[in-house]
Every structure is written in C-alpha cells, then in structure tokens.
Amino acid sequence: MIVNMNQNNNIFDRRLRGLLSASGVERGELARHLGVSVPTVNRWLNGISTPNVYQFRAIVHFFGLPYEWFTEDEGGIPNVDDLAVKLGLSPETVEALLELAGSESEEVLTAVDDAVCAVVATINAVYDDLLAIAGNSGG
C-alpha cells in the first residue's frame, strides 16, 4: 500500500494543533519539553516538516494518546468498549460516532478530533486538580 505523506502530515498537524488548542499547552511549552525551538514546532503545525521518531515518541507520551491517533485517518482510536468507558458513553454511541468519523466529511472528522482533544484536556484538568489536592493534604 502506498502511503500519501502529505495526507499523513495533514492529519498529524491538524491533530497536534487541536491538542494544543484544547489542552491549553503553549507552543513554547511543547518546544521546551521536546528540546526543540518554537519555530520547529510551528513548522510541524504548518505541515512544512514533521518531527523525527524520537520527537514524535515524546509528543505521543506528552499527550498520552496512541501513536496511530496522530497518523491514521481512522484516528487510531482504542477499542469501542475502552473508549466508551473513558468518555462515559454507551458502546452503541461510540460505534455511531466512529461510523460518522469514517465518513469523508472534513467537518465530522474535525468534530471527532475536537472531541478527543476535549477529553484529553478534561483528563489533564482533573489530574492537575488531584495533584493540587494531594499537595495541600500532604502538609
């Protein structure tokens, strides 16, 4: 199978932009975490270049998402039951969302990407709250 790199880059940069937006992570913060410059992150976000394998691995770990989510048009979404539990939805609802995501509509794909980004942002906020509570009770 021939892989269209421009298509994969488009998926990667769209999803990385969405994650930065939804999570509130600044480009500079991501750049510092990865040990690269902000212009390098900007080139990734604009689809001009892509991170090397080590940078990509660090991005995946930083956001806690599967590798495939950043590269595959299908989203590399975990299995339906796991995703349903994480989102607090029924497996049937998740199946319906996945069917919509499988359509060719850019708006639907963007909406699904945004939903995943929102879930990541919520998880990060809850984690931050738990850390703050643990810090306050550790006295």
Side-chain angles (χ1 to χ4, degrees), residues 21-55:
S21 175
S23 67
V25 173
E26 298 289 329
R27 294 172 184 203
E29 181 183 349
L30 181 62
R32 280 187 301 282
H33 178 77
L34 299 173
V36 300
S37 67
V38 173
T40 296
V41 172
N42 288 336
R43 284 191 294 276
W44 298 340
L45 294 171
N46 293 322
I48 296 168
S49 66
T50 56
N52 68 34
V53 67
Y54 302 107
Q55 295 160 337

Side-chain angles (χ1 to χ4, degrees), residues 74-85:
E74 293 80 28
I77 296 174
N79 79 40
V80 171
D81 292 330
D82 289 345
L83 190 57
V85 169

Side-chain angles (χ1 to χ4, degrees), residues 14-24 63 65 69 110-124:
R14 183 182 74 216
R15 291 192 174 155
L16 184 58
R17 272 193 313 274
L19 278 174
L20 290 175
S21 175
S23 67
F63 288 107
L65 290 168
W69 189 78
T110 300
V112 171
D113 288 346
D114 290 347
V116 172
C117 291
V119 169
V120 170
T122 302
I123 291 169
N124 287 338

